[in-house]
Amino acid sequence: MGLGPAGRALAHRAAAAGLRVVGVDPTPDRPWTPTYAAWVDELPSWLDSSVLRARVSRPRVWTTRERSLDRAYAVLDNSALHARLGFDRVVRGVAAEIGPGTVTLRDGTEIRAARVIDSRGLRPDPALAEQTAFGIVVSEEVAAPAMAGAYGWFMDWRRDNGTAPDDPASFLYAVPLGADRVLLEETCLVGRPGLPLDSLRTRLETRLRNRGVELPAAAPAERVRFPVEAPRGGSAVAAFGARAGLVHPGTGYSVAASLCAVDDVVTALTTGRDPTKALWPLPTRAVRTLREVGLRALLSLDPACTAAFFEAFFALPVDRQRAYLSGRDQPAAIAAAMWEIFRKAPPPIRRTLAAAGVRRS
């Protein structure tokens, strides 16, 4: 149920493994419009570079100073990815009822299966922390003053967006989209709730004017709002993708994690095991718990300390950064990264991190 990138990847890999698969979605052929990106080393081996729209070999960040990250980053080509994740049987429809072995659509159609998996994503919920962003797509020439010679900015926390040090922080995310296009996006990393889109638009326009960008009259816009945590609670139906909690609570990324986890679920399906247990063995549950501590720290962080916090993070060796940002099965490596940030961070940040951990315990 649900044929976004996660659901379609699961259907594709299950069909490739010899299972009879039915995918259900209200608009299965509708193009995916969000900008999906990933660290290149996150992507599974069964995908090749044809699904990449643009690649940044050394993305930059600006925290309290400028850094280049020694880790390649890529924007996915949504059309190529959609085509790559093909399978045979798709039903157009909206679910009225979903059970462990039966789906009933609004038009009365009933679909029976040995296993139903819900991949319909998550809707905004005031109880859940969320990420919000507002961006525009412009030509490389228009974007050049904002890029300052960089090919891509993963995070730029400078305060030239019209905010004061005690205002909630947001950053510029600026990446190439290929074909002479660049996305310039003002992003609220996490909030409960996230910053309103109108506020982010104002911040982005202020930032770009301050950098000498001539704002186009009618640039295509991207509006982002989604939960970065999934509600806990038992369900009779197995879930996958963001709905299953595969969204990273500290970054909002979920597509690469879903692509990497899909074969674990398919193996469980082909061998008659519980796909939820296959998706969440003990190490991955420990990783999720540690990252939830990190989310609480981000939500509690003094806005004036945000840049210093990310300076401590990006000062970590790249393998520690990778463990926290991408890995799902190495709790010890993530704990080591968190401890190193705690050890090197200024005292106000240490107090926030300690309080986040105490609340968990």
Side-chain angles (χ1 to χ4, degrees):
M1 299 299 303
L3 293 176
R8 196 169 183 88
L10 179 56
H12 168 76
R13 294 297 285 175
L19 297 176
R20 296 175 59 202
V21 180
V22 177
V24 181
D25 192 277
T27 54
D29 300 321
R30 183 176 62 184
W32 297 329
T33 56
T35 300
Y36 298 126
W39 301 101
V40 173
D41 57 29
E42 289 180 311
L43 298 174
S45 59
W46 52 267
L47 280 177
D48 58 36
S49 60
S50 66
V51 301
L52 304 184
R53 188 174 177 183
R55 176 176 173 140
V56 184
S57 59
R58 292 179 61 86
R60 296 191 197 178
V61 295
W62 193 297
T63 54
T64 58
R65 64 189 183 92
E66 184 177 352
R67 287 183 177 273
S68 291
L69 305 181
D70 191 18
R71 193 180 181 200
Y73 185 77
V75 176
L76 302 180
D77 184 323
N78 290 358
S79 296
L81 183 62
H82 190 284
R84 176 68 175 78
L85 301 179
F87 63 103
D88 289 338
R89 189 177 176 195
V90 177
V91 173
R92 186 183 300 270
V94 178
E97 296 182 17
I98 300 178
T102 306
V103 173
T104 303
L105 305 183
R106 287 182 183 171
D107 65 3
T109 300
E110 188 174 87
I111 302 172
R112 295 185 180 276
R115 181 73 68 171
V116 175
I117 299 185
D118 191 348
S119 297
R120 292 176 297 167
L122 292 171
R123 294 184 178 276
D125 184 329
L128 301 176
E130 64 181 4
Q131 182 173 123
T132 54
F134 180 87
I136 59 172
V137 177
V138 298
S139 69
E140 292 179 354
E141 180 181 3
V142 170
M147 304 300 287
Y151 190 53
W153 287 95
F154 183 64
M155 287 181 170
D156 183 345
W157 291 99
R158 282 176 284 185
R159 290 278 187 170
D160 58 350
N161 58 359
T163 60
D166 57 348
D167 289 331
S170 59
F171 65 91
L172 176 67
Y173 172 73
V175 291
L177 301 178
D180 187 38
R181 299 287 95 182
V182 176
L183 173 66
L184 303 172
E185 194 160 80
E186 192 76 18
T187 304
C188 168
L189 185 61
V190 291
R192 192 181 283 122
L195 289 171
L197 297 187
D198 286 348
S199 297
L200 291 168
R201 179 174 188 163
T202 299
R203 291 184 181 200
L204 177 64
E205 292 173 348
T206 301
R207 188 191 296 275
L208 297 181
R209 281 196 300 268
N210 285 336
R211 298 193 186 186
V213 173
E214 295 290 335
L215 297 175
E222 178 170 270
R223 295 169 176 83
V224 176
R225 185 187 177 200
F226 61 86
V228 297
E229 55 183 346
R232 293 294 184 88
S235 172
V237 177
F240 187 66
R243 199 174 190 92
L246 288 180
V247 61
H248 193 302
T251 67
Y253 285 39
S254 67
V255 172
S258 299
L259 295 173
C260 287
V262 70
D263 280 353
D264 292 335
V265 175
V266 170
T267 298
L269 294 172
T270 58
T271 57
R273 294 184 294 119
D274 184 343
T276 300
K277 291 181 178 179
L279 187 62
W280 292 107
L282 184 59
T284 63
R285 284 180 278 150
V287 164
R288 180 170 61 182
T289 296
L290 288 168
R291 286 179 175 153
E292 287 171 347
V293 172
L295 173 61
R296 285 194 297 276
L298 288 174
L299 290 170
S300 303
L301 192 64
D302 183 339
C305 295
T306 301
F309 172 83
F310 282 99
E311 171 61 22
F313 179 83
F314 288 114
L316 294 174
V318 70
D319 61 321
R320 294 281 171 86
Q321 295 179 34
R322 182 184 295 111
Y324 190 82
L325 293 173
S326 302
R328 291 189 68 237
D329 59 359
Q330 297 181 320
I334 292 176
M338 295 172 74
W339 168 248
E340 193 165 343
I341 293 172
F342 179 83
R343 188 168 58 85
K344 294 182 177 180
I349 295 176
R350 287 189 187 184
R351 289 192 288 271
T352 299
L353 298 177
V358 168
R359 286 198 298 276
R360 170 64 193 172
S361 62

